[in-house]
Amino acid sequence: MSSFVGIDIGATALEVVIRKNDKNGAVKSYQQTPKDHEKLAAQLLKLDPACVVMEATGIYYLNLAVVLFNSGLKVSVINPNSFNHFAKLTLTHSKTDGIDAALLAEYAQRMTPRLWTAPDPKLLSLRDIGRQINRLVGRRTEAKNNLHALQAKDSTYQPLIDDELEGIEYLEFRIERMRNMALEIIANNEKLKQKLENLTAAVGIGTNSAIMIICELELLPEHLKSSQVSRFAGLDVRLTQSGTSINKPGRLSKAGNSYLRTALFMPALSAATHDANVRAFYQSLIQRGKKKMQALCAVMRKMLTGIWACLKLNTPFDSSKLFSEEHKKACA
């Protein structure tokens, strides 16, 4: 009889349950350390389970998943929303780490989830760098807003302004340093180098934005459809049409990758201003009564569709193939 393993991931500890003959074993705890990851992998290899299941919880699952995969175990990393639905179906009312681990083991047995493949280590490094650029750009924007507020008052103590300027300068230095690290990785990979050129062919997508977009999308399976990629980014529209909420307007799910949404925002805003095709699409939505942010999110979703096609087909981004000429006519 096959065995199945469920692992509940925490920031500092792991709870592991092994399921055999339709029964769950006792909960075993391990620390979130490389030593315990290797220890767990060695113990599970002796068991040779049919599947080891864990949730894609923040950043904490990845190191363990890579260790288990590299040791030869069959690993499945599932969406937390999928697991939550499963837990509701089993009518489980209590929630502890041990209970979650047991449910994950049962999920592995009953749902036969798709197996996970560890990404290339260099791609993982590129993703980490891209996310750091994302965070630093956000801090720089916040610092610039603070500087604007300080400079708006005549009574502001000048050293405060100087300190904010110094902070912005250092953030820009760090962003440039991260950018150069990413470009070095990309320069040593012809496929990534070509993909960077294809994306920066788009109006509005600069080098930093392209790096942040590539580092998130490059880790996705190539078989995904554009609608699935939009869902991954949290740019899919969630409708509520039941009971008293039947007329509630659709909203972005925002349940996906926030780093990717952030990376797409400024390129979409720039393209809606400077690219004739994108601008026509954006303005046509405004004319139809959409709010500016709704129209901009639609541009982000549309651009993501084009970006995904560029990465899969290895072709430069061309907005004329993505946005209809009818939008230009409507806005003429």
Side-chain angles (χ1 to χ4, degrees), residues 62-100:
L62 189 56
N63 289 340
L64 174 64
V66 169
V67 169
L68 297 182
F69 176 85
N70 289 340
S71 69
L73 290 161
K74 300 179 183 69
V75 179
S76 181
V77 178
I78 64 172
N79 188 309
N81 288 333
S82 176
F83 176 63
N84 287 336
H85 293 315
F86 179 79
K88 290 177 181 178
L89 287 173
T90 60
L91 301 179
T92 303
H93 300 292
S94 299
K95 182 173 176 61
T96 67
D97 293 341
I99 290 174
D100 282 352

Short mmCIF file of all heavy atoms in Angstrom, two decimals, residues 62-100:
data_model
loop_
_atom_site.label_atom_id
_atom_site.label_comp_id
_atom_site.label_asym_id
_atom_site.label_seq_id
_atom_site.Cartn_x
_atom_site.Cartn_y
_atom_site.Cartn_z
N LEU A 62 9.90 26.89 -0.20
CA LEU A 62 10.75 26.68 -1.37
C LEU A 62 12.03 25.90 -1.05
O LEU A 62 12.36 24.93 -1.75
CB LEU A 62 11.11 28.02 -2.01
CG LEU A 62 11.82 27.93 -3.36
CD1 LEU A 62 11.02 27.12 -4.36
CD2 LEU A 62 12.09 29.32 -3.90
N ASN A 63 12.77 26.28 0.00
CA ASN A 63 14.02 25.60 0.31
C ASN A 63 13.78 24.12 0.60
O ASN A 63 14.52 23.25 0.13
CB ASN A 63 14.71 26.26 1.50
CG ASN A 63 15.29 27.62 1.15
OD1 ASN A 63 15.51 27.93 -0.01
ND2 ASN A 63 15.51 28.44 2.16
N LEU A 64 12.74 23.83 1.37
CA LEU A 64 12.43 22.43 1.68
C LEU A 64 12.03 21.68 0.42
O LEU A 64 12.49 20.54 0.20
CB LEU A 64 11.29 22.37 2.71
CG LEU A 64 10.78 20.96 3.02
CD1 LEU A 64 11.87 20.11 3.66
CD2 LEU A 64 9.55 21.02 3.92
N ALA A 65 11.18 22.28 -0.41
CA ALA A 65 10.73 21.62 -1.63
C ALA A 65 11.91 21.28 -2.54
O ALA A 65 11.96 20.19 -3.12
CB ALA A 65 9.73 22.51 -2.36
N VAL A 66 12.87 22.19 -2.64
CA VAL A 66 14.04 21.96 -3.49
C VAL A 66 14.88 20.80 -2.94
O VAL A 66 15.33 19.93 -3.69
CB VAL A 66 14.90 23.24 -3.59
CG1 VAL A 66 16.25 22.94 -4.24
CG2 VAL A 66 14.16 24.30 -4.40
N VAL A 67 15.07 20.76 -1.62
CA VAL A 67 15.86 19.68 -1.00
C VAL A 67 15.18 18.33 -1.23
O VAL A 67 15.83 17.35 -1.62
CB VAL A 67 16.04 19.94 0.51
CG1 VAL A 67 16.62 18.71 1.21
CG2 VAL A 67 16.94 21.14 0.74
N LEU A 68 13.86 18.27 -1.01
CA LEU A 68 13.13 17.01 -1.19
C LEU A 68 13.16 16.56 -2.65
O LEU A 68 13.36 15.38 -2.95
CB LEU A 68 11.69 17.16 -0.70
CG LEU A 68 11.49 17.47 0.78
CD1 LEU A 68 10.02 17.54 1.12
CD2 LEU A 68 12.19 16.43 1.67
N PHE A 69 12.97 17.52 -3.55
CA PHE A 69 12.98 17.19 -4.99
C PHE A 69 14.36 16.68 -5.42
O PHE A 69 14.47 15.67 -6.12
CB PHE A 69 12.60 18.43 -5.81
CG PHE A 69 12.68 18.21 -7.29
CD1 PHE A 69 11.62 17.64 -7.99
CD2 PHE A 69 13.83 18.57 -8.00
CE1 PHE A 69 11.71 17.43 -9.36
CE2 PHE A 69 13.93 18.37 -9.37
CZ PHE A 69 12.86 17.79 -10.05
N ASN A 70 15.40 17.38 -5.00
CA ASN A 70 16.76 16.99 -5.39
C ASN A 70 17.17 15.64 -4.80
O ASN A 70 18.08 14.98 -5.33
CB ASN A 70 17.76 18.07 -4.98
CG ASN A 70 17.64 19.33 -5.81
OD1 ASN A 70 17.09 19.30 -6.92
ND2 ASN A 70 18.11 20.44 -5.29
N SER A 71 16.51 15.24 -3.72
CA SER A 71 16.82 13.94 -3.12
C SER A 71 16.13 12.79 -3.85
O SER A 71 16.42 11.62 -3.60
CB SER A 71 16.42 13.93 -1.64
OG SER A 71 15.00 13.96 -1.51
N GLY A 72 15.22 13.13 -4.77
CA GLY A 72 14.54 12.10 -5.57
C GLY A 72 13.12 11.82 -5.16
O GLY A 72 12.48 10.90 -5.70
N LEU A 73 12.58 12.59 -4.23
CA LEU A 73 11.20 12.39 -3.79
C LEU A 73 10.21 13.05 -4.74
O LEU A 73 10.53 14.03 -5.41
CB LEU A 73 11.01 12.96 -2.38
CG LEU A 73 11.73 12.20 -1.26
CD1 LEU A 73 11.87 13.08 -0.03
CD2 LEU A 73 10.98 10.90 -0.93
N LYS A 74 9.00 12.50 -4.78
CA LYS A 74 7.92 13.07 -5.59
C LYS A 74 7.23 14.15 -4.77
O LYS A 74 6.57 13.86 -3.77
CB LYS A 74 6.92 12.00 -6.01
CG LYS A 74 7.52 10.87 -6.84
CD LYS A 74 6.45 9.85 -7.19
CE LYS A 74 7.04 8.68 -7.96
NZ LYS A 74 7.93 7.84 -7.11
N VAL A 75 7.40 15.40 -5.18
CA VAL A 75 6.91 16.55 -4.42
C VAL A 75 5.78 17.24 -5.19
O VAL A 75 5.85 17.39 -6.41
CB VAL A 75 8.05 17.55 -4.15
CG1 VAL A 75 7.54 18.76 -3.38
CG2 VAL A 75 9.18 16.87 -3.41
N SER A 76 4.78 17.67 -4.46
CA SER A 76 3.70 18.47 -5.04
C SER A 76 3.50 19.71 -4.19
O SER A 76 3.33 19.61 -2.97
CB SER A 76 2.39 17.67 -5.11
OG SER A 76 1.37 18.45 -5.70
N VAL A 77 3.55 20.87 -4.82
CA VAL A 77 3.33 22.14 -4.12
C VAL A 77 1.99 22.68 -4.59
O VAL A 77 1.81 22.96 -5.78
CB VAL A 77 4.45 23.14 -4.44
CG1 VAL A 77 4.18 24.47 -3.74
CG2 VAL A 77 5.81 22.59 -4.00
N ILE A 78 1.02 22.80 -3.69
CA ILE A 78 -0.34 23.14 -4.08
C ILE A 78 -0.71 24.56 -3.66
O ILE A 78 -0.11 25.14 -2.75
CB ILE A 78 -1.37 22.15 -3.49
CG1 ILE A 78 -1.38 22.22 -1.95
CG2 ILE A 78 -1.05 20.73 -3.95
CD1 ILE A 78 -2.50 21.41 -1.31
N ASN A 79 -1.70 25.09 -4.35
CA ASN A 79 -2.23 26.42 -4.04
C ASN A 79 -2.97 26.38 -2.69
O ASN A 79 -3.82 25.50 -2.49
CB ASN A 79 -3.18 26.86 -5.16
CG ASN A 79 -3.61 28.30 -5.03
OD1 ASN A 79 -4.08 28.72 -3.97
ND2 ASN A 79 -3.47 29.05 -6.09
N PRO A 80 -2.69 27.30 -1.79
CA PRO A 80 -3.39 27.31 -0.49
C PRO A 80 -4.90 27.38 -0.62
O PRO A 80 -5.62 26.80 0.20
CB PRO A 80 -2.83 28.56 0.19
CG PRO A 80 -1.47 28.74 -0.41
CD PRO A 80 -1.63 28.32 -1.84
N ASN A 81 -5.40 28.09 -1.65
CA ASN A 81 -6.85 28.18 -1.85
C ASN A 81 -7.44 26.81 -2.14
O ASN A 81 -8.53 26.47 -1.67
CB ASN A 81 -7.18 29.15 -2.98
CG ASN A 81 -6.94 30.59 -2.59
OD1 ASN A 81 -7.02 30.94 -1.42
ND2 ASN A 81 -6.62 31.43 -3.56
N SER A 82 -6.74 26.02 -2.94
CA SER A 82 -7.20 24.67 -3.26
C SER A 82 -7.29 23.82 -2.00
O SER A 82 -8.26 23.08 -1.79
CB SER A 82 -6.26 24.03 -4.27
OG SER A 82 -6.62 22.69 -4.53
N PHE A 83 -6.29 23.96 -1.14
CA PHE A 83 -6.29 23.19 0.10
C PHE A 83 -7.40 23.66 1.04
O PHE A 83 -8.05 22.84 1.71
CB PHE A 83 -4.93 23.32 0.79
CG PHE A 83 -4.86 22.64 2.13
CD1 PHE A 83 -5.03 21.27 2.24
CD2 PHE A 83 -4.67 23.37 3.29
CE1 PHE A 83 -4.98 20.63 3.47
CE2 PHE A 83 -4.62 22.75 4.53
CZ PHE A 83 -4.77 21.38 4.62
N ASN A 84 -7.65 24.96 1.10
CA ASN A 84 -8.73 25.48 1.96
C ASN A 84 -10.08 24.92 1.54
O ASN A 84 -10.91 24.58 2.38
CB ASN A 84 -8.75 27.00 1.90
CG ASN A 84 -7.59 27.63 2.65
OD1 ASN A 84 -7.01 27.01 3.55
ND2 ASN A 84 -7.22 28.85 2.29
N HIS A 85 -10.31 24.83 0.23
CA HIS A 85 -11.56 24.26 -0.27
C HIS A 85 -11.67 22.79 0.13
O HIS A 85 -12.74 22.31 0.51
CB HIS A 85 -11.66 24.40 -1.79
CG HIS A 85 -11.80 25.82 -2.26
ND1 HIS A 85 -12.67 26.71 -1.66
CD2 HIS A 85 -11.19 26.49 -3.26
CE1 HIS A 85 -12.58 27.88 -2.28
NE2 HIS A 85 -11.69 27.77 -3.25
N PHE A 86 -10.56 22.08 0.04
CA PHE A 86 -10.55 20.66 0.42
C PHE A 86 -10.87 20.50 1.90
O PHE A 86 -11.65 19.61 2.29
CB PHE A 86 -9.19 20.05 0.10
CG PHE A 86 -9.06 18.60 0.47
CD1 PHE A 86 -9.60 17.62 -0.33
CD2 PHE A 86 -8.40 18.23 1.64
CE1 PHE A 86 -9.49 16.27 0.01
CE2 PHE A 86 -8.28 16.89 1.98
CZ PHE A 86 -8.82 15.90 1.17
N ALA A 87 -10.27 21.37 2.73
CA ALA A 87 -10.52 21.30 4.17
C ALA A 87 -11.99 21.54 4.49
O ALA A 87 -12.57 20.89 5.36
CB ALA A 87 -9.65 22.32 4.89
N LYS A 88 -12.62 22.46 3.75
CA LYS A 88 -14.05 22.73 3.97
C LYS A 88 -14.90 21.52 3.57
O LYS A 88 -15.89 21.20 4.22
CB LYS A 88 -14.47 23.96 3.18
CG LYS A 88 -13.90 25.26 3.72
CD LYS A 88 -14.29 26.45 2.85
CE LYS A 88 -13.69 27.75 3.40
NZ LYS A 88 -14.01 28.91 2.54
N LEU A 89 -14.51 20.85 2.49
CA LEU A 89 -15.26 19.68 2.04
C LEU A 89 -15.20 18.54 3.05
O LEU A 89 -16.14 17.74 3.15
CB LEU A 89 -14.72 19.21 0.69
CG LEU A 89 -15.06 20.08 -0.53
CD1 LEU A 89 -14.31 19.58 -1.76
CD2 LEU A 89 -16.55 20.10 -0.79
N THR A 90 -14.08 18.46 3.78
CA THR A 90 -13.95 17.40 4.78
C THR A 90 -14.62 17.77 6.10
O THR A 90 -14.58 17.00 7.06
CB THR A 90 -12.46 17.09 5.05
OG1 THR A 90 -11.81 18.27 5.53
CG2 THR A 90 -11.77 16.60 3.78
N LEU A 91 -15.21 18.98 6.14
CA LEU A 91 -15.92 19.46 7.33
C LEU A 91 -15.01 19.54 8.55
O LEU A 91 -15.41 19.24 9.68
CB LEU A 91 -17.14 18.57 7.64
CG LEU A 91 -18.18 18.47 6.53
CD1 LEU A 91 -19.31 17.54 6.96
CD2 LEU A 91 -18.74 19.84 6.17
N THR A 92 -13.78 19.93 8.30
CA THR A 92 -12.82 20.09 9.40
C THR A 92 -12.98 21.49 10.00
O THR A 92 -12.74 22.48 9.33
CB THR A 92 -11.38 19.91 8.90
OG1 THR A 92 -11.27 18.62 8.29
CG2 THR A 92 -10.39 20.04 10.04
N HIS A 93 -13.39 21.55 11.25
CA HIS A 93 -13.67 22.84 11.88
C HIS A 93 -12.46 23.38 12.65
O HIS A 93 -12.26 24.59 12.73
CB HIS A 93 -14.86 22.72 12.83
CG HIS A 93 -16.12 22.29 12.13
ND1 HIS A 93 -16.78 23.09 11.23
CD2 HIS A 93 -16.81 21.13 12.19
CE1 HIS A 93 -17.84 22.45 10.77
NE2 HIS A 93 -17.89 21.26 11.34
N SER A 94 -11.65 22.50 13.22
CA SER A 94 -10.48 22.95 13.97
C SER A 94 -9.31 23.17 13.02
O SER A 94 -9.24 22.58 11.94
CB SER A 94 -10.09 21.91 15.02
OG SER A 94 -11.15 21.72 15.94
N LYS A 95 -8.40 24.04 13.43
CA LYS A 95 -7.23 24.31 12.59
C LYS A 95 -6.00 24.42 13.48
O LYS A 95 -5.86 25.36 14.26
CB LYS A 95 -7.43 25.60 11.80
CG LYS A 95 -6.26 25.92 10.86
CD LYS A 95 -6.58 27.10 9.98
CE LYS A 95 -5.40 27.49 9.11
NZ LYS A 95 -4.99 26.39 8.19
N THR A 96 -5.13 23.43 13.35
CA THR A 96 -3.81 23.46 13.99
C THR A 96 -2.80 23.00 12.95
O THR A 96 -3.17 22.45 11.91
CB THR A 96 -3.75 22.54 15.22
OG1 THR A 96 -3.85 21.18 14.77
CG2 THR A 96 -4.86 22.84 16.23
N ASP A 97 -1.53 23.19 13.24
CA ASP A 97 -0.50 22.76 12.30
C ASP A 97 -0.56 21.26 12.07
O ASP A 97 -0.40 20.79 10.94
CB ASP A 97 0.89 23.16 12.82
CG ASP A 97 1.08 24.68 12.85
OD1 ASP A 97 0.32 25.37 12.14
OD2 ASP A 97 1.97 25.14 13.57
N GLY A 98 -0.79 20.51 13.14
CA GLY A 98 -0.88 19.06 13.02
C GLY A 98 -2.06 18.61 12.20
O GLY A 98 -1.96 17.70 11.36
N ILE A 99 -3.21 19.25 12.42
CA ILE A 99 -4.41 18.92 11.64
C ILE A 99 -4.21 19.23 10.17
O ILE A 99 -4.59 18.46 9.29
CB ILE A 99 -5.63 19.67 12.21
CG1 ILE A 99 -6.02 19.12 13.58
CG2 ILE A 99 -6.82 19.59 11.24
CD1 ILE A 99 -7.11 19.88 14.28
N ASP A 100 -3.58 20.38 9.90
CA ASP A 100 -3.31 20.76 8.51
C ASP A 100 -2.39 19.76 7.83
O ASP A 100 -2.59 19.40 6.67
CB ASP A 100 -2.70 22.16 8.45
CG ASP A 100 -3.73 23.26 8.63
OD1 ASP A 100 -4.94 22.94 8.64
OD2 ASP A 100 -3.34 24.43 8.75
#
